[in-house]
Amino acid sequence: DSKGRVIGMATAIYSPSGASAGIGFAVPVDTVKYIVTQLIENGQIVRPLLGVNILDSKQSRQTLGITKGVLILEVKPGTPAAAAGLKGIRRTESGIIEIGDIIIAVDGTSIEKEGDLFKAIEDYKPGDTVKVTVNRPQIEVTESGEPEIKLKEITFSVKLIASDDSTFIQK
């Protein structure tokens, strides 16, 4: 900035002419500090993970009628997320696809989209336990006998795993 403080690190430049002039892209200094510290301490970047795969498409969420939160596609077997009881999408024996849990908060921080989830998890370290609040679709029968999907809010305690933990990461 104008006072000589580092506010980020340039990573790329879009230059139609090929010269060093154009639109620059940078990583914020807080991210640089985190990464440098991780590299010095561990020799690699180790991030906390929930142990789930998520649907990361706004268009797909809208198609499914999900207006808030992040849909869990798969819960990795053997992870603390699986032990806690989180559920991903599954196909029933009759071939019907059941929607999985929809993450709506982590330790009280509202989750609207994928970026919110990543940001909320980054505040923790592998091994930390977080409260994950989900909406779980459940079928209820109305007074007229028609099936209706209702969302039930449930909170789970989930221990975060490390991104380099080979026990949970498929190679």
Side-chain angles (χ1 to χ4, degrees), residues 81-94:
L86 292 175
K87 293 184 178 182
I89 290 178
R90 73 176 199 96
R91 185 179 298 270
T92 66
E93 290 178 10
S94 61

Side-chain angles (χ1 to χ4, degrees), residues 49-52 75-86 127-130 132 156-162 165 167-168:
L49 301 175
L50 278 175
V52 300
V75 178
K76 297 286 187 178
T79 61
L86 292 175
D128 289 347
T129 299
V130 296
V132 178
F156 298 92
S157 290
V158 180
K159 183 177 177 183
L160 299 173
I161 61 174
D165 190 335
T167 306
F168 305 116

Side-chain angles (χ1 to χ4, degrees), residues 30-63:
D30 291 341
T31 303
V32 173
K33 285 181 187 177
Y34 173 80
I35 290 173
V36 168
T37 302
Q38 286 282 313
L39 288 173
I40 290 169
E41 291 177 0
N42 306 312
Q44 62 183 352
I45 306 302
V46 179
R47 298 189 181 276
L49 301 175
L50 278 175
V52 300
N53 289 333
I54 59 171
L55 180 66
D56 60 359
S57 164
K58 180 180 180 180
Q59 185 177 18
S60 296
R61 282 194 322 270
Q62 287 175 339
T63 301

Side-chain angles (χ1 to χ4, degrees), residues 13-139:
I13 188 168
Y14 171 73
S15 174
S17 67
S20 294
I23 300 171
F25 299 91
V27 175
V29 73
D30 291 341
T31 303
V32 173
K33 285 181 187 177
Y34 173 80
I35 290 173
V36 168
T37 302
Q38 286 282 313
L39 288 173
I40 290 169
E41 291 177 0
N42 306 312
Q44 62 183 352
I45 306 302
V46 179
R47 298 189 181 276
L49 301 175
L50 278 175
V52 300
N53 289 333
I54 59 171
L55 180 66
D56 60 359
S57 164
K58 180 180 180 180
Q59 185 177 18
S60 296
R61 282 194 322 270
Q62 287 175 339
T63 301
L64 293 170
I66 299 169
T67 58
K68 174 187 176 187
V70 177
L71 176 64
I72 297 176
L73 291 177
E74 173 191 21
V75 178
K76 297 286 187 178
T79 61
L86 292 175
K87 293 184 178 182
I89 290 178
R90 73 176 199 96
R91 185 179 298 270
T92 66
E93 290 178 10
S94 61
I96 296 172
I97 295 176
E98 289 183 353
I99 299 297
D101 291 334
I102 302 163
I103 300 171
I104 59 169
V106 173
D107 273 349
T109 301
S110 181
I111 306 298
E112 299 286 331
K113 57 188 183 303
E114 302 81 25
D116 297 336
L117 178 60
F118 298 136
K119 187 175 179 182
I121 298 298
E122 283 293 319
D123 290 340
Y124 299 92
K125 294 179 180 161
D128 289 347
T129 299
V130 296
K131 299 272 187 207
V132 178
T133 304
V134 302
N135 277 333
R136 179 169 286 172
Q138 295 184 333
I139 298 175

